[in-house]
Amino acid sequence: MPLVYLMRRESFCASHRLHTDLLSDDENRRLFGKCNSPNGHGHNYVLEVSLRGEPDLKTGLLMNLTELKHILQEVILSRVDHRHLNLDVAEFSKTNPTTENLAIVFWRMLEEKISKKLLYEVRVFETEKNSAYYRGE
Ligand SMILES: [Zn+2]
């Protein structure tokens, strides 16, 4: 059976502060630049979630996209949109909300709702040019 990939794109706005206690304040400023701003700053993020599998023989669908839309809304967007990631999202209270970590944390959130067999990739764009993706490896 042919394997197909299905992707849904969503966007959300959130602020964050990138900072690690393992570095000095000066090193944090140099490494994270604007993202180290003491009160945080915002990004217009894009989230892309890809599934992989064989389409259903009867329907031709891998997954109902309306269902996927509802899962993304419930599991991720309702928790991060227009929030401060460090302060409002428990998963980032101790984990630096870098694009890399967003991809990993979002994957873990989705794993509880989407079978591991189907979930293929979670990609997060922090800007148009920078993105990170995670495939559960
Ligand atoms: Zn930033």
Side-chain angles (χ1 to χ4, degrees):
M1 277 292 288
L3 278 175
V4 293
Y5 297 78
L6 184 69
M7 191 268 280
R8 176 153 178 104
R9 178 181 299 125
E10 294 284 356
S11 57
F12 63 95
C13 304
S15 52
H16 71 168
R17 184 186 190 213
L18 299 185
H19 184 88
T20 170
D21 292 336
L22 301 174
L23 298 175
S24 70
D25 285 353
D26 214 44
E27 288 170 314
N28 270 292
R29 264 191 299 275
R30 259 180 285 142
L31 179 61
F32 295 123
K34 277 187 284 188
C35 293
N36 183 244
S37 166
N39 297 320
H41 79 147
H43 289 283
N44 298 320
Y45 289 97
V46 172
L47 166 67
E48 290 179 352
V49 173
S50 300
L51 310 178
R52 178 179 70 170
E54 296 168 1
D56 182 85
L57 284 175
K58 252 189 296 187
T59 64
L61 299 176
L62 193 56
M63 184 179 187
N64 181 335
L65 278 175
T66 306
E67 190 192 339
L68 180 58
K69 172 183 151 180
H70 288 312
I71 291 174
L72 296 181
Q73 180 61 39
E74 178 197 338
V75 175
I76 299 177
L77 300 172
S78 67
R79 300 192 52 212
V80 299
D81 195 24
H82 291 87
R83 303 293 172 90
H84 192 302
L85 298 175
N86 309 60
L87 304 176
D88 298 326
V89 183
E91 284 84 346
F92 297 111
S93 65
K94 292 194 176 74
T95 299
N96 214 13
T98 59
T99 317
E100 293 89 327
N101 282 334
L102 261 65
I104 295 168
V105 166
F106 291 166
W107 173 284
R108 291 186 179 148
M109 291 171 166
L110 288 172
E111 251 180 351
E112 292 173 19
K113 295 276 179 180
I114 300 173
S115 104
K116 261 190 189 171
K117 253 179 64 191
L118 207 56
L119 190 56
Y120 175 67
E121 181 182 284
V122 172
R123 184 182 287 256
V124 179
F125 289 80
E126 188 180 77
T127 68
E128 253 175 61
K129 293 181 179 173
N130 300 337
S131 71
Y133 61 87
Y134 184 59
R135 291 179 179 167
E137 294 148 351

